[in-house]
Amino acid sequence: MTTTTAPVPVRSPLPWSLAGRTAVILGGSSGIGLAAAGLLASVGAHVLLVGRDKERLESAVARVTEAGTDAAAEVRGVPADVTDGDAMEEVFARAGSVDHVLMTAGYPSGIGPVTELGRDEARAAVAAPAGAVLDIVRAAVPRMEPGGSITLSSGVLVARPRSGMAAPVAAAGAVETLARALAVELAPVRLRANAIRYGAIDTPLLRSRYGATGAGDAAMAEAGAAMPLGRFGTAEEAASAAVFLMANPYMSGEVLAVDGGQSLA
Ligand SMILES: NC(=O)c1ccc[n+]([C@@H]2O[C@H](COP(=O)([O-])OP(=O)(O)OC[C@H]3O[C@@H](n4cnc5c(N)ncnc54)[C@H](OP(=O)(O)O)[C@@H]3O)[C@@H](O)[C@H]2O)c1
């Protein structure tokens, strides 16, 4: 890392300032990551999507490309697993120069009372998400441009823990803390780090929890009706927070909640 005395560049904090910039979205083939890819491509940013399932990734690239993408935007996909540090090196080597990194890959694991989890299962559930972020940061930062950003993902349960969720909540808490620590560590090279704390957002991840088949499924509407605003958030509503954090050069060290008031209810 080469430190600089030049301040972070002044740019418009509005989304279209991301035109021509490159964003790597780890977890870009579904849900919030896929929605972020769509928003970014629509303002002319180049996006590189990462996910494990090659077919799902290819169909995500096709979906983003077809959905009103700005003609200048390049949309690419690279299959890789974020828990594989060598694979992350390869992804960022292929990405070339990178402006923004969004990490939405993963799902809560180690669900259940701590006393009923196996020792290795519990430890892995807590350590793996932050470990993956560390590998991604090591691979990405040397290739990032001043003013760039890293955005991590956590969840509302950090603010309102529920029984049986101790391991995933601890993992998400570590990721939030890492975002703040990275904001301090990367400021001298004029890079920024933030986290987004999502409430219940209607994505394939949440739908699988309710056995729902699609976006308009009645099970989702029924479950969503119990939320403070009467429905779950949409993937686009969640993803727009990521676009805001990328575009605004003065956002760093923030944990931004997009939860429709779920942390208060
Ligand atoms: N949706 C919610 O209500 C909610 C609430 C709180 C927090 N969050 C968090 O927000 C993030 C995004 O959630 P989402 O709802 O958008 O999930 P999603 O729809 O399941 O999408 C997850 C994406 O990550 C990829 N992925 C998963 N594990 C991966 C791995 N090891 N390596 C590479 N890619 C991987 C998936 O593709 P492959 O499976 O093909 O790899 C997929 O593209 C997650 O970290 C989730 O825990 C979500």
Side-chain angles (χ1 to χ4, degrees):
M1 288 200 317
T2 313
T3 58
T4 173
T5 52
V8 74
V10 175
R11 293 188 186 123
S12 163
L14 297 173
W16 43 88
S17 69
L18 295 169
R21 306 270 163 204
T22 298
V24 175
I25 306 180
L26 301 137
S29 61
S30 173
I32 299 164
L34 176 57
L39 295 177
L40 289 165
S42 74
V43 295
H46 309 307
V47 288
L48 188 149
L49 313 184
V50 177
R52 291 165 302 177
D53 185 310
K54 206 162 174 272
E55 253 177 52
R56 181 143 92 139
L57 191 62
E58 280 167 6
S59 97
V61 168
R63 231 171 107 178
V64 174
T65 308
E66 283 156 19
T69 297
D70 183 285
E74 284 169 18
V75 185
R76 291 184 286 159
V78 177
D81 188 329
V82 296
T83 64
D84 178 344
D86 291 337
M88 291 302 98
E89 286 290 344
E90 280 172 36
V91 163
F92 283 95
R94 281 177 71 172
S97 172
V98 172
D99 296 287
H100 302 286
V101 176
L102 172 62
M103 169 62 167
T104 57
Y107 49 88
S109 63
I111 295 175
V114 172
T115 49
E116 291 173 21
L117 296 176
R119 185 187 291 165
D120 291 346
E121 180 191 14
R123 282 174 178 254
V126 174
V133 171
L134 293 173
D135 284 345
I136 288 162
V137 168
R138 264 194 296 274
V141 163
R143 298 176 168 94
M144 292 180 74
E145 299 294 328
S149 70
I150 296 171
T151 304
L152 308 179
S153 296
S154 86
V156 67
L157 292 184
V158 174
R160 288 175 65 92
R162 262 204 332 254
S163 180
M165 296 296 282
V169 167
V175 167
E176 286 189 2
T177 306
L178 199 42
R180 288 164 49 77
L182 288 169
V184 173
E185 190 164 303
L186 298 178
V189 291
R190 307 304 184 230
L191 295 176
R192 307 174 288 114
N194 297 286
I196 305 176
R197 189 187 280 176
Y198 302 111
I201 305 297
D202 184 355
T203 65
L205 177 71
L206 193 70
R207 283 174 215 155
S208 67
R209 206 168 296 164
Y210 291 98
T213 49
D217 195 295
M220 293 302 282
E222 197 181 319
M227 298 293 109
L229 294 178
R231 64 166 172 81
F232 295 126
T234 68
E236 285 73 19
E237 287 164 345
S240 75
V243 174
F244 163 68
L245 291 172
M246 288 179 197
N248 191 323
Y250 218 59
M251 289 302 298
S252 196
E254 181 62 21
V255 178
L256 188 59
V258 184
D259 68 1
Q262 291 166 33
S263 60
L264 305 172

